[in-house]
């Protein structure tokens, strides 16, 4: 097969490329002895070809040539595969994992590696974040991870070194619980979603620093402009465009920094053409363990023709809730149960939040079947409400009413930071009606900060908001408000104190931080051992940030501060303010960061130190 018949690697040049690359029908490892490329979808054991179970594991991290797009590229692999092998543990056992660094000399991914066990409670020196409580694993060396498994559920693991996660070092983790599960099923599949690029991830990061909007050339066209003029009139349309281009330094289509224009999306390490397939018999209950192991992609998942009953989130049981669709942020996991019947095949469809591409697979009664694959949805537009400026204009929250209200304001310089500054100082905006919530205060470190290009004014929890691009689509879409743990607040104490942190950034500079301070410039967040405290996050940016705290659970609260659901990753869409409780019951130095890989690398990362 020639590369031309399937599309090829992305170049760095013109944005006139194909809209998205679907990839090879049969991607994966390129066998060195001529079996090229190897099929992985034919093996159905648990949805993945490589499954290791027990208490003792030998994992070798190396570089393996892979071909997902027509071009062969070096991937970072565990025991030769992408994703890394599915590990099956049992709650109540002690696991030993010998992880060996076999990266070749001169690897573009450096000399060092690591594995972090995402969402797993363990001693800090087993958490696998180089530079915190662990030194990393140097080439030719091995590290012995050993810890007690004290939880059950669906999790994953990945590298915490450089960009190795983007290059393939991620794998699913399934822990069989001690207690019987509160639901039944006949089959059990992992569905791990990820984003692959043929680019060297270092170059991708450099490209983001240089031109953060590279993947968002789908700007509104001249035609759109005249359509809007026809609909809204000349002045509001011009103001609308000026506001997005000037004030926000972005366009309302900038929903993700890297998207299907660069990425080939994978399901269990297979492209859409490869069509990962999970078999079923009509009427069976099938458990699907969705894991978002991507570097940068929020996926919207649905299986046309089937209801999905969500029974666990981030590995922890929730009261069952039946939906048509859910959004899964990077690093989250959702376990769902489906009962396929009446058709021989159903498509598992996951499109990215920015509607630039998708990955699909199939549930089928036998191999080789397919069901229709939906079109990628229309590109959603960010609204002012999405950015936490909802109450500003009064009236509707759409762009056109917003722009007309903006038109009457003094926004000389078109600079959101100065606008927010004047708002804070009680300036020109103070007289506006902002509703009951009042104006959001901001940390002093954000003021006049060249790495902060905007601030939210009226953020809200928005727990029952399906999110950008999912509202009013005629489907029942999961929201955080639907997620209720099957247990009460496991700590029970009221939080003794509250820490508020703002998610901040500068789109053009591709700078990302907490409170305007990059990791390198920030003090650790100190927690007292044993305390119950509350973290309030405010998203001052236009991007969604899935925030992950290592070592400790994040117990999400509702609008009134009541415990809702236990998670390890809390997604923070634009314009949101959300709070969760943390019990500081694990001593040591822990990572706390946005799980979008390039945001983390750019500085949206803090050390959390739990001390006596
Ligand atoms: Cu982020």
């Amino acid at each position: 097969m020639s590369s031309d018949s399937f599309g090829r690697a992305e170049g760095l040049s013109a944005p006139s490329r194909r809209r998205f690359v679907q990839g090879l029908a049969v991607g994966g490892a390129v066998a060195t002895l001529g079996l090229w490329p190897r099929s992985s979808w034919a093996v159905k054991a648990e949805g993945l070809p490589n499954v290791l179970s027990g208490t003792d594991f030998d994992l070798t991290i190396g570089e393996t040539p892979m071909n997902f797009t027509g071009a062969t590229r070096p991937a970072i692999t565990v025991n030769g595969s992408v994703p890394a092998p599915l590990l099956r543990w049992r709650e109540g056992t002690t696991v030993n994992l010998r992880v060996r660094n076999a990266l070749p000399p001169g690897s573009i991914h450096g000399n060092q590696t690591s594995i972090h066990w995402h969402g797993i409670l363990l001693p800090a020196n087993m958490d696998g974040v180089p530079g915190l409580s662990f030194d990393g694993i140097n080439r030719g060396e091995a590290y012995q991870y050993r810890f007690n498994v004290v939880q059950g559920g669906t999790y994953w693991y990945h590298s915490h070194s450089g960009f190795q996660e983007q290059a393939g070092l991620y794998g699913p983790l399934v822990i069989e619980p001690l207690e019987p599960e509160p639901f039944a099923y006949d089959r059990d599949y992992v569905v791990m979603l990820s984003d692959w690029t043929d680019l060297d991830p270092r170059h991708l990061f450099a490209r983001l620093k240089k031109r953060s909007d590279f993947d968002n050339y789908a700007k509104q066209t001249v035609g759109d402009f005249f359509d809007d003029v026809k609909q809204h009139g000349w002045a509001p349309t011009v103001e609308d465009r000026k506001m997005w281009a000037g004030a926000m330094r972005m366009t309302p289509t900038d929903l993700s920094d890297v998207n299907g224009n660069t990425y080939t999306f994978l399901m269990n390490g297979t492209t859409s053409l490869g069509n990962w397939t999970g078999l079923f018999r009509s009427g069976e209950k099938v458990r699907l363990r969705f894991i978002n192991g991507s570097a940068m992609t929020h996926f919207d998942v649905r299986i046309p023709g089937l209801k999905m009953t969500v029974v666990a989130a981030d590995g922890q049981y929730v009261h069952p809730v039946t939906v048509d669709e859910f959004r899964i942020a990077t690093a989250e996991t959702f376990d769902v149960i489906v009962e396929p019947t009446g058709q021989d095949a159903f498509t598992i469809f996951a499109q990215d939040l920015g509607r630039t591409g998708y990955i699909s697979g199939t549930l089928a009664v036998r191999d080789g079947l397919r069901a229709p694959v939906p079109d990628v949805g229309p590109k959603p537009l960010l609204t002012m409400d999405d950015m936490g400026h909802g109450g500003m204009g009064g009236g509707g929250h759409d762009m056109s009413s917003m722009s007309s209200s903006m038109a009457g304001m003094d926004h000389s310089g078109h600079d959101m930071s100065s606008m927010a500054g004047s708002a804070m100082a009680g300036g020109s905006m103070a007289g506006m009606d902002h509703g009951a919530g009042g104006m959001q205060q901001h940390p002093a470190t954000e003021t006049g900060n060249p790495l902060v290009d905007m601030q939210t004014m009226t953020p809200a929890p928005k727990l029952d908001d399906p999110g950008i691009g999912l509202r009013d689509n005629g489907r029942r879409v999961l929201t955080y408000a639907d997620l209720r743990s099957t247990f009460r607040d496991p700590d029970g104490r009221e939080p003794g104190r509250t820490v508020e942190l703002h998610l901040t950034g500068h789109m053009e500079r591709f700078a990302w931080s907490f409170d305007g301070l990059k990791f390198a410039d920030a003090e650790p967040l100190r927690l007292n051992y044993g305390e119950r405290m509350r973290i309030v996050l405010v998203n001052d940016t236009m991007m969604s940030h899935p925030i992950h705290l290592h070592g400790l659970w994040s117990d999400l609260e509702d609008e009134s501060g009541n415990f809702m659901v236990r998670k390890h990753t809390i997604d923070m869409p634009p314009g949101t303010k959300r709070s969760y409780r943390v019990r500081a019951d694990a001593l040591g130095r822990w990572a706390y960061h946005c799980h979008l890989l390039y945001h983390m690398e750019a500085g949206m990362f803090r050390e959390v130190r739990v001390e006596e």
Side-chain angles (χ1 to χ4, degrees), residues 299-520:
F299 287 102
D300 293 338
V301 178
R302 65 191 204 262
I303 307 176
L306 289 185
K307 297 275 180 197
M308 301 182 282
T309 300
V310 180
V311 293
D314 290 3
Q316 301 290 297
Y317 301 134
V318 294
H319 287 288
V321 52
T322 299
V323 298
D324 299 311
E325 185 167 21
F326 61 86
R327 172 164 291 170
I328 185 167
T330 296
E332 287 185 314
T333 76
F334 288 114
D335 289 43
V336 310
I337 292 178
V338 295
E339 292 186 58
T341 182
Q343 288 174 218
D344 284 350
F346 295 87
T347 296
I348 305 172
F349 181 74
Q351 57 184 343
D352 74 315
L353 179 156
R355 303 295 183 257
T356 61
Y358 70 93
I359 173 68
S360 67
T362 304
L363 295 176
V365 296
R366 59 179 182 278
D367 274 325
L369 297 182
R370 272 185 183 273
V373 177
D375 289 333
V376 169
K379 209 169 281 294
L381 295 184
L382 277 169
T383 65
M384 295 305 284
D385 195 28
D386 285 321
M387 301 156 44
H389 303 307
M392 282 178 65
H397 295 321
D398 63 342
M399 282 302 301
S400 48
S401 75
M402 189 56 224
S403 59
S404 46
S405 72
M406 292 283 287
M409 292 170 45
D410 173 22
H411 51 288
S412 49
H414 302 289
D415 188 318
M416 278 305 288
S417 50
S418 72
M419 194 169 123
S422 67
M424 282 177 67
S428 62
M429 300 191 38
M432 294 176 59
D433 176 20
H434 296 285
M439 194 74 91
Q440 174 65 44
Q441 296 299 303
H442 294 276
T445 45
E446 283 186 34
T447 309
N449 188 326
L451 300 182
V452 177
D453 67 354
M454 64 168 288
Q455 294 173 318
T456 181
M457 294 174 207
T458 53
K462 299 188 184 182
L463 295 166
D464 60 356
D465 178 10
I468 300 155
L470 292 177
R471 300 173 193 128
D472 305 315
N473 66 6
R475 298 187 285 269
R476 171 73 169 89
V477 180
L478 183 77
T479 69
Y480 272 8
D482 294 318
L483 298 175
R484 300 281 160 173
S485 289
T486 53
F487 41 85
R488 290 161 169 273
D489 178 353
D491 185 278
R493 287 173 294 168
E494 275 300 306
R497 66 185 174 119
T498 295
V499 171
E500 183 171 302
L501 284 168
H502 288 225
L503 312 177
T504 46
H506 191 291
M507 300 282 298
E508 238 175 33
R509 297 189 177 143
F510 201 73
W512 302 100
S513 55
F514 285 106
D515 287 357
L517 297 171
K518 290 198 291 189
F519 172 56

Side-chain angles (χ1 to χ4, degrees), residues 512 544-546 594-596 599 604:
W512 302 100
S544 293
H545 305 280
C594 176
H595 220 287
L596 300 183
H599 289 190
M604 197 179 271

Side-chain angles (χ1 to χ4, degrees), residues 581-592:
R581 302 169 180 205
V582 171
R583 178 166 63 193
D585 56 4
L587 286 169
R589 301 171 63 193
W590 302 99
Y592 183 43

Side-chain angles (χ1 to χ4, degrees), residues 57 59 75 77 97 168 180 190 195 205 226 283 288 321 372 429 446 478 499 511 515:
F57 300 87
L59 304 176
T77 53
L97 305 120
V190 164
D195 46 22
F205 187 62
F226 286 107
L288 301 173
V321 52
M429 300 191 38
E446 283 186 34
L478 183 77
V499 171
D515 287 357

Side-chain angles (χ1 to χ4, degrees), residues 206-265:
R207 188 180 86 186
L208 283 163
K209 284 300 238 184
K210 214 182 301 168
R211 240 197 96 185
S212 62
D213 66 344
F214 189 91
D215 262 7
N216 289 294
Y217 54 77
K219 312 267 189 221
Q220 288 176 301
T221 63
V222 175
D224 293 334
F225 180 84
F226 286 107
D227 284 350
D228 278 12
V229 169
K230 234 185 274 170
Q231 214 183 326
H232 305 295
W234 180 265
T237 302
V238 169
E239 279 307 318
D240 178 295
R241 294 305 189 278
K242 266 206 280 194
M243 190 188 65
W244 282 107
M248 311 304 179
R249 297 198 194 87
M250 65 183 297
T251 74
T253 54
D254 287 359
L255 299 167
S256 48
D257 306 300
V258 193
N259 58 35
N261 297 310
T262 289
Y263 285 140
T264 298
F265 300 123

Side-chain angles (χ1 to χ4, degrees), residues 2-9 18 21 24 69-71:
S2 79
S3 61
D4 285 316
S5 51
F6 292 104
R8 65 182 88 207
R18 294 173 44 188
V21 176
L24 289 179
T69 64

